[in-house]
Amino acid sequence: MSLNLLLVQLLNGAQLGILLFLVAAGLTLVFGVMDFINLAHGVQYMLGAYVAATLGTLLGSFWLGLLLALPVSLLIGLLLEWVVFRHLYRRDHLAQVLATFGVILTVEDAVRAIWGSSPLAVPQPEGFAGGIEIMPGLTYPSFRLAIIAAGLLVALGLWLLVDRTRAGMLVRAGATNAPMVSALGVDIHKLFTLVFGIGAMLAGFAGALAGPVFAVAPGMGDGVLILAFVVIVIGGIGSIRGAFVAAILVGLIDTLGRAMLPDLLRLVMDASSARQTGAALASMLVYIVMAAILFLSPAGLFPVRRG
Amino acid sequence: MNRRALLGTAAAATFSGAMPGLVRAQAPGIKVGFVATLSGAGAALGTQLRDGWLLAVKHLDGKLGGLPAETLVIDDELKPDVAVTKVRAALERDKVNVVAGLVYSNILQAVFRPVTESGTFLISANAGPSTFAGRGCNPLFFTTSYQNDQVHATMGQVAQDEGYKRVFVMVPNYQAGKDAAAGFKSRFKGEVVDEIYVPLTQLDFSTELAKIAAAKPDAIFTFMPGALGVNLVRQYRQAGLASTPFLSSFTVDESTLPAQGEAALGFYTAANWAPDFPNEVSRRFVRDFEAAYGYVPGTYAAQAYDAAMLVDDGVKQAGGRLADKAALRAAMEKPGFTSVRGNFRMGANHYPVQDFYLCKVAKRPDGKLATETVRKVLSEDTDPYAAECRMR
């Protein structure tokens, strides 16, 4: 593999990582701060993509669709919180998993009823049609650069919000010891609702950004959700910084594994079995790394201290 | 019917704008259990299949072979166990005379024995696995589609005819993907630069696209059904690789084109039919289909249309005597109807002997995207397993 190709693959890995971070950030906030396992996070990602695609087609502009998808995702998130999730905070994780899994089934079938089962047509972002030639014959779409920029901005914004504002301080305090914060006169439920709303909006934002690149179809959130869980477990549950580092790590491992394993295995076995074992190993690699990291550091790379 | 199935049916009904359910008729008539995947990931194909069948029955004035026809639409939910339960109920309770439809091979494999062992005819309108084409062929089983290998082999022949020296192959890492690669290589004799096997859950193809760009092949061959194909086609175009010919099977067709949009323009696929076929039967089929259901029919719908015509013609030839299975079978082995494909006959293993075409995605004058025939690649092609079939 040439150096140029390796650099391109590193870029691809970083970009996949940033997309994963956008999904994982909301998940880690909700999981870390509220100790709430929200399997329906992937559904919120899917709804963001559908809403953005539908509104974008209706209004004839991808960017308008993206912009409007944010408040709609927020509203959907708050509605789900009010109807279902609010009643689960005091229950154990198993009840949360069961109930949010039920939300996945219900919402996915509702999406099929409204939009049908075929992947949706998505308006392409205006002004981002072209790209940069990063190696002979290969264009790097400029929209993907926009996704990277958006991911970095979200990371920065979240860091500022959680580490540098009063609301962020309360969120951190609530994560450490909720009853104490509540006793100090802070409305902890309002705080949790706020956190949940931000998480839902981030998921919707990620979905809306993914629309022009990936297929917008029922179930599109499931695969992403699994990887997002891997990211937050590796990163340390509740840690934004951990989610960022872990997302980039997972993106790089997945990409480089897919790019290089089949070729590496060819050194020790024949071509056709190297290709198939390589492909199988590459798709397992992320989980193997997760297991290894959990073995060495059970609370993840950036463990959040709890009171 | 559980809640999921109910929701699925409701979803399908909302979308096609027509609720087929039961089309009641006077006894004695012919009852057909039509199995299609109408909920879950494969629902787009099942909807095409069902609509194609129902249009044929409509064209035949609600009759099959002169007998009033009743179609029981069965949603297999893409779950073999669900399909078997529902098909058994249709056989035992509803006493269907024929079971037809079937999008996916694994569903066909599950219902095959229950149906044929009850002495009922089984007509596949899409699934065409090798299992029942060779030694496993059965006198009660017919298909109006193809044997899967033929479609991939057609693309192999195209690459060979075009004189491509180096082709890059990329398929999903499961049995059908491996079969696709093998089918392609059965007729392509040049160099396969590299073969990539991607997981079925693959989202981002940028890693693979970079490898393709680095390898600089004369063309790529791929088989990426459903949402995988939507991802790949968009990203292939966005990565500026479209100048490398995109040869595919089941990747760009009428079920995925609405989502792929103009990104798929000029991409190639292999098929036994395309909506621009000039013959009169096909033109009427496409015109009425679009008027009734509001979308462009693909091969799935066309094959289901032919499946209904096969049953209609068979029952007619047998003089309407459904109990005379030998006569019905003999009739369906020599079908007298005119297929939307024009050239069409049944092989000894009850798989069609037909022509295969190279097709290309193009924009029709009305702005809709559809596949268009470029040229005929294989003439009167018989599948490679037919010779092993000993029909009892």
Side-chain angles (χ1 to χ4, degrees), chain A residues 181-200:
Chain A
V181 177
S182 188
L184 289 172
V186 176
D187 186 346
I188 196 86
H189 291 292
K190 204 185 268 174
L191 192 69
F192 279 7
T193 309
L194 176 80
V195 169
F196 194 86
I198 292 176

Side-chain angles (χ1 to χ4, degrees), chain B residues 165-177:
Chain B
K165 299 278 179 289
R166 305 166 71 246
V167 175
F168 199 106
V169 173
M170 177 160 71
V171 291
N173 198 11
Y174 74 126
Q175 195 53 46

Side-chain angles (χ1 to χ4, degrees), chain B residues 19-26 29-36 38 49-58 60 62-64 67-75 90 94 96-101 304 308 311:
Chain B
M19 179 71 198
L22 291 180
V23 184
R24 290 261 170 232
Q26 316 264 308
I30 175 168
K31 264 191 186 179
V32 179
F34 194 82
V35 185
L38 296 170
L49 210 67
R50 178 198 60 192
D51 292 346
W53 174 276
L54 291 176
L55 181 70
V57 176
K58 205 193 279 178
L60 296 164
K63 291 183 182 150
L64 287 173
L67 305 175
E70 182 179 342
T71 304
L72 283 147
V73 177
I74 299 167
D75 177 10
D94 302 312
V96 295
N97 307 100
V98 174
V99 173
V311 174

Side-chain angles (χ1 to χ4, degrees), chain A residues 9-25 140 144 147-148 151-152 155 206 214 224 227-228 231 242-255 258, chain B residues 204 206:
Chain A
Q9 299 296 29
L10 285 175
L11 180 65
N12 287 332
Q15 178 226 290
L16 179 63
I18 280 179
L19 198 79
L20 285 177
F21 168 72
L22 282 174
V23 184
Y140 197 80
R144 287 189 180 235
I147 293 182
I148 294 183
L152 294 177
F214 303 137
V224 174
L227 278 180
V231 164
F244 187 78
V245 173
I248 302 287
L249 193 68
V250 167
L252 285 176
I253 291 171
D254 189 54
T255 301
R258 268 157 47 202
Chain B
D204 194 0
S206 46

Side-chain angles (χ1 to χ4, degrees), chain A residues 9 114 139 211 214-215 258-259 279, chain B residues 15 197 204 207-208 231 234 239:
Chain A
Q9 299 296 29
I114 299 170
T139 310
F214 303 137
R258 268 157 47 202
Chain B
F15 256 79
Y197 294 89
D204 194 0
T207 315
E208 288 73 18
N231 285 350
R234 272 195 203 149

Side-chain angles (χ1 to χ4, degrees), chain B residues 38-119:
Chain B
L38 296 170
S39 50
L45 308 187
T47 311
Q48 285 245 1
L49 210 67
R50 178 198 60 192
D51 292 346
W53 174 276
L54 291 176
L55 181 70
V57 176
K58 205 193 279 178
H59 276 175
L60 296 164
D61 298 319
K63 291 183 182 150
L64 287 173
L67 305 175
E70 182 179 342
T71 304
L72 283 147
V73 177
I74 299 167
D75 177 10
D76 60 45
E77 301 173 35
L78 197 43
K79 295 178 187 136
D81 53 319
V82 172
V84 169
T85 312
K86 288 184 177 176
V87 165
R88 271 190 204 282
L91 291 169
E92 287 158 19
R93 187 188 61 211
D94 302 312
K95 310 256 182 277
V96 295
N97 307 100
V98 174
V99 173
L102 300 151
V103 180
Y104 290 96
S105 298
N106 60 336
I107 304 291
L108 171 63
Q109 254 142 2
V111 304
F112 189 85
R113 287 180 71 98
V115 176
T116 51
E117 281 173 4
S118 74

Side-chain angles (χ1 to χ4, degrees), chain B residues 332-346:
Chain B
M332 288 200 286
E333 284 173 348
K334 301 240 173 312
F337 71 96
T338 314
S339 161
V340 291
R341 285 163 256 184
N343 199 4
F344 174 93
R345 67 184 166 86
M346 273 297 163

